[in-house]
Amino acid sequence: MKKKMLTLLMSLIMTFALCSTSFAAEKAVCFVDMQAILTSYPGINDIAKQISDKQAELQKKFNVEIKNLDAQDQANLQAKYNKELSDFENRKMNPVRKSINNAIHAVMKAKGVDSVVNINAMVAGGQNLTADVVKDCLLYTSPSPRD
């Protein structure tokens, strides 16, 4: 079973590589390093700390409340706090994701590029737009307000 899955995965990767090569012949392929953009994002350390603090707060609450619960109630409580943390993280990170996406589209438009992929999808070649996107994020982004 693993061999079949590995073979299928390798076939898909090779197909993607061949399609990318034929696309590259028609138009320059561009990429960005999303991790570098995210770590350069203004205020991201503060946002990460807020998320980490929220996780610690919820973990502390969970540890106190779980003591007298049966397995089903423990699972329900864990699901409740996981959802609360996920919702908090989304409130904090969605504006960041939107801002980065807008910056990518602005750079694409300015450079006349039709498509951009993450650096992890590149096998070789391509034009790196990461620095341009980081610069765009720095110009038009202010850190998000605290909750």
Side-chain angles (χ1 to χ4, degrees):
M1 181 70 171
K2 285 185 180 182
K3 263 188 169 179
K4 287 182 181 179
M5 290 299 290
L6 185 58
T7 303
L8 177 62
L9 181 61
M10 291 304 293
S11 297
L12 289 171
I13 291 172
M14 293 303 294
T15 301
F16 176 74
L18 289 173
C19 291
S20 296
T21 303
S22 65
F23 177 73
E26 297 173 20
K27 194 115 176 144
V29 176
C30 297
F31 62 90
V32 293
D33 183 343
M34 291 299 290
Q35 187 62 40
I37 294 168
L38 188 60
T39 57
S40 300
Y41 191 85
I44 196 66
N45 291 333
D46 185 47
I47 293 169
K49 181 167 179 0
Q50 290 174 47
I51 293 169
S52 177
D53 290 349
K54 184 69 169 183
Q55 182 180 16
E57 171 195 329
L58 292 174
Q59 184 66 50
K60 190 181 284 187
K61 282 181 173 181
F62 178 77
N63 291 341
V64 169
E65 294 178 28
I66 196 173
K67 292 179 181 172
N68 297 321
L69 300 178
D70 64 26
Q72 182 60 45
D73 289 339
Q74 289 176 2
N76 291 341
L77 185 63
Q78 182 176 14
K80 173 188 166 189
Y81 284 141
N82 283 342
K83 181 174 179 354
E84 187 175 334
L85 180 61
S86 178
D87 291 347
F88 181 81
E89 184 175 353
N90 283 333
R91 278 195 317 274
K92 292 295 181 180
M93 291 303 296
N94 281 345
V96 173
R97 290 181 192 109
K98 184 176 181 181
S99 177
I100 291 172
N101 193 41
N102 288 343
I104 290 170
H105 284 281
V107 170
M108 286 174 61
K109 185 175 181 180
K111 300 255 184 202
V113 174
D114 289 334
S115 61
V116 175
V117 297
N118 192 345
I119 193 169
N120 298 330
M122 291 299 293
V123 177
Q127 181 183 359
N128 190 347
L129 300 179
T130 303
D132 297 317
V133 173
V134 167
K135 188 186 321 176
D136 196 80
C137 284
L138 290 173
L139 288 174
Y140 301 108
T141 306
S142 61
S144 66
R146 290 185 167 265
D147 272 344

